[in-house]
Amino acid sequence: EVPRALPRDLEGLRIVVSAGGTREPLDPVRYLGNRSSGKQGFALARVAAQRGAEVRLVAGHTVALPPPAGAVLERVSTAEEMRKAVRAAAADADVVVMAAAVADFRPADRAEHKIKKSDDSPDPVITLDRNADILAELVRERRPGQTVVGFAAETGDEQGSVLDHARAKLRRKGADLLVVNAVGDGKAFGTEDNSGWLLAADGAEEAIPLGAKARLAATLWDAVTALRDRRP
Ligand code: CTP
Ligand code: CA
């Protein structure tokens, strides 16, 4: 890709991006986690800062990534920590993008000491409690003029295609925009490239061709500025 000067079209905007995966502890050494690399969220933060935005990046667990130049980076671990950090940052933000893979559930009990196996007691069973849905909360508590963007990793199944699931999710969540990645077969998680669709609350749908995660980031920021320019 030929490097070219980026527009400074996000100047004056306060943007919050979440990235990476959360970890839900079972005991001092074990957790439930997910395969999120954080690369897409970091690319979003980097490109937004390059385009002039004031960027706060709330990152869960990621592969080793350089901190995006020009962004303020805050590290969190659990979904509850991510919730607190994102909500605090969102309080004065113009745009919030939830690119993080937030655990839907956490172990109901967190053992104080390492869980031991034993021959004379039954094997443990993990009971899960549901975590708060950060994106849904952001939508509910949205400031006037604030733009809220979600991500969804979907697979097609007997209930419907990737797009069917994504359209339903956008409606359910009430976000302004939803970026949809098709996952499975090594797609999206940890890779350098991403593809999918960009769905807008007004029904507009745009296919995102396979390309670098920075490319998808640029497409999303273009859509966010277009959306914000269009509104009354
Ligand atoms: N999300 C969130 N808080 C959660 C779970 C998800 O903010 N506790 C956000 C993600 O960051 C993402 C969007 O919601 O932007 C969609 O996440 P996804 O896991 O695809 O949706 P869910 O509503 O959790 O539905 P599913 O049952 O398909 O996992
Ligand atoms: Ca989920």
Side-chain angles (χ1 to χ4, degrees):
E1 218 171 325
V2 185
R4 53 195 143 68
L6 290 171
R8 301 279 298 175
D9 57 348
L10 302 179
E11 202 120 62
L13 282 187
R14 281 173 294 206
I15 293 181
V16 178
V17 177
S18 71
T22 60
R23 286 181 184 174
E24 308 302 313
L26 280 157
D27 72 10
V29 295
R30 304 184 180 97
Y31 59 83
L32 300 181
N34 62 66
R35 295 182 193 283
S36 173
S37 70
K39 287 176 184 173
Q40 184 61 68
F42 273 55
L44 284 161
R46 187 174 65 247
V47 172
Q50 283 169 348
R51 284 167 66 161
E54 199 182 296
V55 182
R56 296 180 67 95
L57 174 60
V58 180
H61 297 271
T62 66
V63 299
L65 294 171
V72 176
L73 172 62
E74 181 178 357
R75 286 280 181 179
V76 296
S77 184
T78 65
E80 193 49 34
E81 287 169 19
M82 171 143 306
R83 178 189 184 202
K84 289 202 180 85
V86 167
R87 287 177 53 140
D92 64 353
D94 302 296
V95 183
V96 188
V97 179
M98 285 298 299
V102 184
D104 292 326
F105 303 99
R106 65 180 178 278
D109 300 300
R110 175 181 184 165
E112 197 186 331
H113 305 290
K114 189 182 165 200
I115 298 165
K116 291 297 213 181
K117 63 178 182 293
S118 119
D119 290 334
D120 30 56
S121 60
D123 291 343
V125 174
I126 300 172
T127 306
L128 299 174
D129 284 343
R130 199 187 269 238
N131 283 327
D133 186 326
I134 304 168
L135 181 63
E137 274 182 358
L138 289 169
V139 166
R140 275 201 303 277
E141 295 163 18
R142 186 196 323 228
R143 308 167 60 211
Q146 192 175 55
T147 306
V148 180
V149 182
F151 267 71
E154 298 286 347
T155 58
D157 58 24
E158 305 74 44
Q159 262 67 55
S161 68
V162 169
L163 262 179
D164 294 334
H165 285 301
R167 288 179 186 127
K169 188 166 283 181
L170 175 61
R171 276 196 301 276
R172 202 160 62 234
K173 297 271 186 175
D176 298 294
L177 292 165
L178 186 72
V179 181
V180 187
N181 299 129
V183 292
D185 308 327
K187 278 189 239 159
F189 282 110
T191 60
E192 296 308 321
D193 293 339
N194 234 347
S195 65
W197 292 270
L198 185 55
L199 308 186
D202 66 4
E205 300 186 351
E206 183 185 343
I208 302 171
L210 186 67
K213 289 184 174 178
R215 179 66 234 152
L216 188 152
T219 302
L220 178 60
W221 296 130
D222 290 347
V224 166
T225 51
L227 190 73
R228 295 180 64 86
D229 288 346
R230 264 205 312 277
R231 31 154 237 234

